[in-house]
Amino acid sequence: MIESKKLEEGIILYTISNENISFSVMNYGCTITNLFVRNKNGKKTDILLGYDRLSEWKNGNCSHNAIVGRFANRISGAKFTLDGKEYSLDKNDGGNCLHGGNSRYEKMIWNGELFSDSEGEGVKFSRKSPDGEQGMPGNLDITVTYTLTKNDGLVLEYNAESDGATPINLTNHAYFNLDGSGTILNHHLQLDCPEFLRANGELLPTGDILPVGGTSFDFTREKRVGQDIEKLVTEKADDANAELIEKDSPFGYDHCFVTKADESKLIRFGEIWSEESGIHMEMFTNQRGVHVYSGNFLAGIVGKGGLVHKRHDGICFETERFPDAVNQPSFPSCILHPGERYWHKTIFKFKVEN
């Protein structure tokens, strides 16, 4: 079933539903406002953090469940050089650029249209990101499609073409909590990711790609998200949490894990599930990286129902190209050239077990 509702002039909320799952998404930032999945007791549970009112979505600064680009994650020094020309970006994360800087895709109004096909029903969003927007070169035509499949999957697909060479790295910054509220530290997580990108104190990749074995980053065998999270403060394989030693410091996972994908086809990269709700979410992508963020900076944010969040109340799986790839020559290229097509597809597939 497909429905649409006008929230205010120019902003439309679309709702797609079947017997087991429903999601709502608005053309403001291609933002998924709710994702309801039946738990083991048959009750539909909203497994995404967020807000109740449009004004709160507009004022939020954590990219809740929205599209992120033109280049998701961090670009060191808020600059890069392409074809001999240096480009300067917004410094909105210390001296670095994060999630597109100060003019973010998540705060823009997109064109939206409903559709139905053999795979399922959904919404297709589009816009042109003009040359110079966010300091980036090239006019970029983008489409973002969210589909609810007939076998209870949520498909996120991104396509883009540019008339000039440009870095590109799109993703969705969904904050999941399979219980609907509370901590995600008790969620069970397994990742088919044998390596991760070592990060420094600014959460930038150092360029080192390290095996997860013997570190707190090893989720190749299922374990609870919080099992080793406090060990990250003294993790010798990584420096991202080294100075976060205070009780309320925002320590945790904020790292890119390396999948087995090469952008040519979909692969499974992991699964997360909750004993409390019985909800399982299996995850697939064609992207080389998945940035796992354990909601380290959520403390104090007021969310749905007036709930004041704590650190680690949500977890993100930002399928992506490698962070700072434009400044890391050893990483796979993130440059889209004229005549090429950027294609990124991610699927979250749901089931419930008692």
Side-chain angles (χ1 to χ4, degrees), residues 27-326:
N27 62 329
Y28 181 77
C30 306
T31 302
I32 306 172
T33 58
N34 306 90
L35 175 56
F36 286 94
V37 179
R38 291 193 187 277
N39 66 17
K40 63 184 180 183
N41 298 316
K43 179 183 177 181
K44 281 197 170 183
T45 302
D46 187 359
I47 63 170
L48 290 181
L49 304 188
Y51 307 100
D52 292 323
R53 289 172 285 276
L54 179 59
S55 59
E56 295 172 325
W57 289 103
K58 287 185 173 183
N59 292 329
N61 60 6
C62 293
S63 306
H64 275 83
N65 320 332
I67 185 174
V68 178
R70 179 176 302 193
F71 196 92
N73 218 306
R74 293 171 174 85
I75 294 179
S76 63
K79 62 183 179 180
F80 64 92
T81 299
L82 178 60
D83 294 335
K85 181 179 178 180
E86 183 174 285
Y87 294 87
S88 296
L89 312 173
D90 294 333
K91 293 181 178 180
N92 67 328
D93 183 56
N96 308 307
C97 183
L98 175 64
H99 294 333
N102 298 323
S103 179
R104 295 190 175 191
Y105 286 178
E106 69 193 78
K107 302 299 183 184
M108 298 176 183
I109 296 178
W110 295 61
N111 300 314
E113 58 180 299
L114 295 164
F115 72 89
S116 178
D117 60 23
S118 59
E119 189 174 21
E121 298 177 323
V123 190
K124 181 179 180 179
F125 298 105
S126 62
R127 74 176 296 267
K128 180 186 288 289
S129 177
D131 179 33
E133 186 174 70
Q134 300 178 339
M136 291 287 187
N139 295 293
L140 187 72
D141 290 302
I142 314 169
T143 61
V144 179
T145 305
Y146 299 151
T147 308
L148 179 59
T149 68
K150 296 174 181 178
N151 62 347
D152 294 339
L154 178 62
V155 181
L156 285 60
E157 188 166 2
Y158 315 81
N159 286 274
E161 295 180 341
S162 177
D163 63 2
T166 185
I168 184 170
N169 186 24
L170 305 177
T171 194
N172 184 284
H173 206 292
Y175 286 81
F176 293 100
N177 185 310
L178 301 186
D179 297 327
S181 63
T183 183
I184 50 86
L185 296 182
N186 290 327
H187 284 26
H188 296 256
L189 177 63
Q190 185 272 321
L191 297 173
D192 300 330
C193 299
E195 299 173 311
F196 75 102
L197 304 189
R198 182 173 185 167
N200 64 22
E202 295 181 274
L203 296 172
L204 288 162
T206 64
D208 297 322
I209 301 177
L210 302 180
V212 298
T215 76
S216 302
F217 299 89
D218 191 352
F219 287 93
T220 54
R221 291 186 178 182
E222 180 188 297
K223 66 180 181 182
R224 294 181 188 270
V225 174
Q227 178 174 311
D228 297 320
I229 199 166
E230 293 190 7
K231 297 178 184 177
L232 291 170
V233 174
T234 56
E235 181 67 72
K236 293 183 179 179
D238 187 77
D239 300 315
N241 292 277
E243 297 180 8
L244 303 177
I245 57 176
E246 300 297 328
K247 179 183 177 183
D248 297 321
S249 292
F251 69 86
Y253 296 100
D254 198 346
H255 294 76
C256 186
F257 288 72
V258 180
T259 74
K260 298 177 183 178
D262 61 3
E263 298 194 13
S264 65
K265 61 182 180 181
L266 285 171
I267 58 97
R268 179 191 186 278
F269 72 84
E271 181 177 13
I272 187 167
W273 67 280
S274 165
E275 290 182 23
E276 180 178 329
S277 67
I279 297 172
H280 291 239
M281 185 172 77
E282 194 171 16
M283 303 175 285
F284 305 80
T285 193
N286 72 331
Q287 294 296 291
R288 290 183 170 90
V290 54
H291 197 88
V292 178
Y293 170 55
S294 55
N296 310 328
F297 294 93
L298 284 174
I301 291 176
V302 181
K304 295 173 181 176
L307 179 66
V308 180
H309 287 300
K310 298 178 181 178
R311 177 185 58 194
H312 307 149
D313 271 6
I315 188 167
C316 304
F317 299 98
E318 304 160 54
T319 51
E320 63 179 11
R321 288 175 165 174
F322 290 171
D324 201 34
V326 72

Side-chain angles (χ1 to χ4, degrees), residues 7-25:
L7 298 181
E8 69 173 38
E9 191 63 38
I11 299 181
I12 308 296
L13 180 72
Y14 305 92
T15 299
I16 317 296
S17 60
N18 64 23
E19 184 177 342
N20 297 315
I21 298 175
S22 68
F23 78 93
S24 297
V25 58

